[in-house]
Amino acid sequence: MRSYKEIRGILQERITSQQWQPGDLLPSEQALSEEFGCTRSTVNRAMRELADAGLVERRRKAGTRVVQPKSHPATISIPVIRQEIENKDQSYKYLLLERLEALPPEDVRAQLGLEQNEKALFLKSLHYGDGIPQQLDVRWINISALPEASQESFADIGPNDWLLQRVPHPNIEHVFRADKATAEEQRLLQLQECEPVFTIERRTWISGQGITYVRLVHPGSRYRMATRSSATPTFN
Amino acid sequence: MRSYKEIRGILQERITSQQWQPGDLLPSEQALSEEFGCTRSTVNRAMRELADAGLVERRRKAGTRVVQPKSHPATISIPVIRQEIENKDQSYKYLLLERLEALPPEDVRAQLGLEQNEKALFLKSLHYGDGIPQQLDVRWINISALPEASQESFADIGPNDWLLQRVPHPNIEHVFRADKATAEEQRLLQLQECEPVFTIERRTWISGQGITYVRLVHPGSRYRMATRSSATPTFN
DNA sequence: AAGTGGTCTAGACCACGAA
DNA sequence: TCGTGGTCTAGACCACTTC
């Protein structure tokens, strides 16, 4: 008798080895459950996880087919900057540069879902590792959603850390870019001539209500984002 | 009677609304199955998916707790450049710039797992959308793993497309960077002064054998990578 | 020792959608 | 129409880990 993990591994092997090629139809759950001497539920779980991983596509009546990949799925984990710095055993320093309540630009207003003349909290801060600037955090926070933000000075705690405590599990959207550094970014991040920045734009919201919109700006020469999840994911 | 999706949604709601806060212990599967009037299996599936999504952590005997997030998980889908261009209804053009078999530099040799004096196939190609260069593809291919590559001219088919047909589901690792453009990149990608490049480094292998190592170089002003998967994933 | 989650069984009903 | 996957049940045994 085989476990769903073993079955998943066997099926995965048959796919990566191209015994089953893209477009091919896999045997039905019924057939496989007989082959492996287990119940259909067990086979179902194995195949469902392969489908979640993007290796196969399943449709009722049509069966399960090997996917012809048209893109490379990948998962990344964007660490909170303080964590990332401390994990590297560097000393972390946080510096608040600017804090004010003001009318956000139109695009930010739309992203946060604010009224026409509604103010938001603007924060600009710098994060250092071993005294070297690693991240510039330029952020708008929706005060209607988080009135406590008005009372917080953000002198000692970074807005990212603060928000993670208040709103631990928001919805998130990210955009990554390689940008030319502005003059201000060049100065604040101590960039060399022509050194680009790696920008993470993040929008968070919860049940339709915008929470924050932020640009995380990193020195191109000191930042990389890595992935270790594959089209053929390393299951546990 | 409630389905596992309804239960998952209810639990998710209790977490995002902070009725259950980070660190809090959730009721046991047993208790929840009574609350929702279903079997433990159903609750198990709901909670397992919340764990997969990173909202909770589960340990035998210790129970299930809400996670205090220390990073933002995200999933991206890196499209094959031809697909991406065609999806935007632009005309796709592919141009092979260089093709030769040679000894790769030490770091690439290590990544591909080659012997000391083993040659590999080097390819340099450009991908255009509507006549504008969108991606420079600089690549090493392991000929031991893919001897057919020696016979392929790559004059008419891009190496990415070719590889996806041969080795549809390899293991993959990615690194993303914002880099200063080299003089050659600036010329080939028609970059402006100081315009950075968004670089995707990809390593693929299958059952321990290296397949390809590639740098995909994009004009910073014409490229963005987006994510729509959240810490609180939008389940189906 | 005992409570928790992890997995499996042997069935069942049903929704979907290809033929 | 009817084969496929999607889900659920009522039970069971076990692994793990805290107490």
Side-chain angles (χ1 to χ4, degrees):
Chain A
M1 194 226 18
R2 311 192 97 96
S3 73
Y4 86 91
K5 284 186 183 175
E6 289 174 314
I7 295 175
R8 186 186 60 195
I10 293 169
L11 301 181
Q12 179 178 354
E13 164 60 21
R14 291 186 188 169
I15 292 170
T16 55
S17 74
Q18 299 197 64
Q19 177 179 339
W20 292 329
Q21 303 198 353
D24 285 359
L25 191 62
L26 270 65
S28 70
E29 294 185 348
Q30 172 67 34
L32 287 173
S33 72
E34 285 163 19
E35 173 182 349
F36 294 122
C38 63
T39 58
R40 191 165 74 86
S41 328
T42 304
V43 173
N44 177 277
R45 176 149 184 204
M47 295 181 91
R48 178 156 36 83
E49 296 199 355
L50 291 177
D52 289 344
L55 279 162
V56 299
E57 269 176 4
R58 323 195 70 197
R59 266 157 41 229
R60 285 159 152 128
K61 169 73 180 176
T64 302
R65 285 178 188 281
V66 178
V67 164
Q68 171 67 62
K70 291 190 167 42
S71 67
H72 298 282
T75 73
I76 36 181
S77 170
I78 305 165
V80 173
I81 186 70
R82 185 175 51 76
Q83 293 283 335
E84 191 176 19
I85 289 171
E86 289 174 351
N87 284 351
K88 286 191 285 190
D89 270 327
Q90 298 183 351
S91 72
Y92 172 70
K93 201 181 92 188
Y94 160 73
L95 183 60
L96 178 65
L97 301 174
E98 217 174 314
R99 181 196 189 286
L100 55 96
E101 296 188 13
L103 287 178
E106 178 57 27
D107 59 326
V108 173
R109 195 188 69 73
Q111 301 252 354
L112 291 182
L114 301 180
E115 304 295 328
Q116 273 295 346
N117 286 312
E118 201 176 347
K119 290 190 173 181
L121 179 63
F122 177 79
L123 294 171
K124 191 183 291 181
S125 56
L126 255 182
H127 303 260
Y128 297 83
D130 276 352
I132 299 166
Q134 305 287 354
Q135 182 188 81
L136 172 65
D137 179 315
V138 183
R139 181 184 300 258
W140 290 90
I141 296 177
N142 183 347
I143 332 182
S144 315
L146 282 165
E148 323 135 79
S150 278
Q151 311 307 317
E152 173 63 49
S153 74
F154 294 102
D156 301 314
I157 183 173
N160 215 328
D161 288 326
W162 188 86
L163 278 165
L164 268 183
Q165 285 176 20
R166 300 303 134 141
V167 194
H169 296 284
N171 289 79
I172 307 188
E173 257 181 24
H174 285 112
V175 178
F176 310 114
R177 281 203 192 80
D179 284 333
K180 207 179 291 196
T182 65
E184 187 196 26
E185 287 162 356
Q186 189 175 342
R187 178 172 51 82
L188 291 173
L189 293 172
Q190 301 172 11
L191 302 179
Q192 296 169 355
E193 197 67 25
C194 267
E195 183 181 338
V197 289
F198 188 102
T199 297
I200 302 176
E201 236 175 78
R202 175 184 298 156
R203 188 168 73 88
T204 71
W205 71 98
I206 197 161
S207 52
Q209 190 178 41
I211 300 290
T212 190
Y213 171 81
V214 58
R215 264 173 54 97
L216 302 171
V217 187
H218 309 82
S221 59
R222 275 168 259 158
Y223 197 78
R224 67 206 288 278
M225 209 163 66
T227 294
R228 183 188 267 273
S229 143
S230 25
T232 304
T234 314
F235 296 106
N236 316 320
Chain B
M1 199 225 13
R2 299 191 170 280
S3 73
Y4 86 90
K5 284 186 183 176
E6 289 174 311
I7 295 174
R8 187 187 60 197
I10 293 170
L11 301 183
Q12 180 178 353
E13 163 61 22
R14 292 187 189 168
I15 292 169
T16 56
S17 73
Q18 301 196 61
Q19 177 179 338
W20 291 330
Q21 303 198 354
D24 285 0
L25 191 64
L26 271 64
S28 70
E29 295 186 348
Q30 172 67 34
L32 287 173
S33 72
E34 284 164 19
E35 172 182 348
F36 294 123
C38 62
T39 58
R40 191 166 73 87
S41 329
T42 305
V43 173
N44 177 276
R45 176 149 184 205
M47 294 181 93
R48 177 157 35 86
E49 296 199 355
L50 291 177
D52 290 344
L55 264 95
V56 299
E57 268 175 4
R58 323 195 70 197
R59 266 161 41 231
R60 284 160 155 127
K61 168 73 180 175
T64 302
R65 286 179 188 278
V66 178
V67 163
Q68 172 68 60
K70 292 191 165 40
S71 68
H72 298 282
T75 75
I76 37 181
S77 170
I78 305 165
V80 174
I81 187 70
R82 185 174 55 73
Q83 292 283 336
E84 190 175 20
I85 288 171
E86 289 173 351
N87 284 351
K88 286 191 285 187
D89 269 327
Q90 298 182 351
S91 71
Y92 172 70
K93 202 182 90 188
Y94 161 73
L95 183 61
L96 179 64
L97 301 174
E98 216 173 317
R99 182 196 187 287
L100 54 96
E101 295 188 13
L103 286 179
E106 179 56 29
D107 58 327
V108 173
R109 196 190 68 72
Q111 300 253 351
L112 291 182
L114 301 180
E115 304 294 328
Q116 273 295 343
N117 286 313
E118 200 175 348
K119 289 191 172 182
L121 179 63
F122 177 78
L123 294 171
K124 192 183 288 182
S125 57
L126 254 181
H127 302 260
Y128 296 83
D130 277 352
I132 299 165
Q134 304 288 351
Q135 181 187 84
L136 172 66
D137 180 315
V138 183
R139 184 184 298 258
W140 291 89
I141 295 177
N142 183 349
I143 334 183
S144 315
L146 281 166
E148 324 135 78
S150 276
Q151 311 306 318
E152 172 64 48
S153 76
F154 293 103
D156 299 316
I157 184 174
N160 215 328
D161 288 325
W162 187 85
L163 277 166
L164 267 184
Q165 284 175 23
R166 300 301 134 143
V167 194
H169 294 285
N171 289 79
I172 306 188
E173 257 181 24
H174 285 112
V175 178
F176 310 112
R177 279 205 193 80
D179 282 334
K180 208 179 290 197
T182 66
E184 186 195 30
E185 288 162 356
Q186 189 175 342
R187 177 171 52 81
L188 292 172
L189 293 171
Q190 301 170 12
L191 302 178
Q192 297 169 353
E193 197 66 27
C194 267
E195 184 180 338
V197 290
F198 189 102
T199 298
I200 302 177
E201 237 176 77
R202 176 184 297 157
R203 189 167 73 89
T204 72
W205 72 98
I206 196 160
S207 50
Q209 190 178 40
I211 299 290
T212 190
Y213 171 81
V214 57
R215 263 173 55 98
L216 303 171
V217 187
H218 310 82
S221 58
R222 275 167 259 158
Y223 197 80
R224 66 207 288 278
M225 211 164 65
T227 294
R228 183 189 267 274
S229 145
S230 21
T232 306
T234 314
F235 296 105
N236 316 319

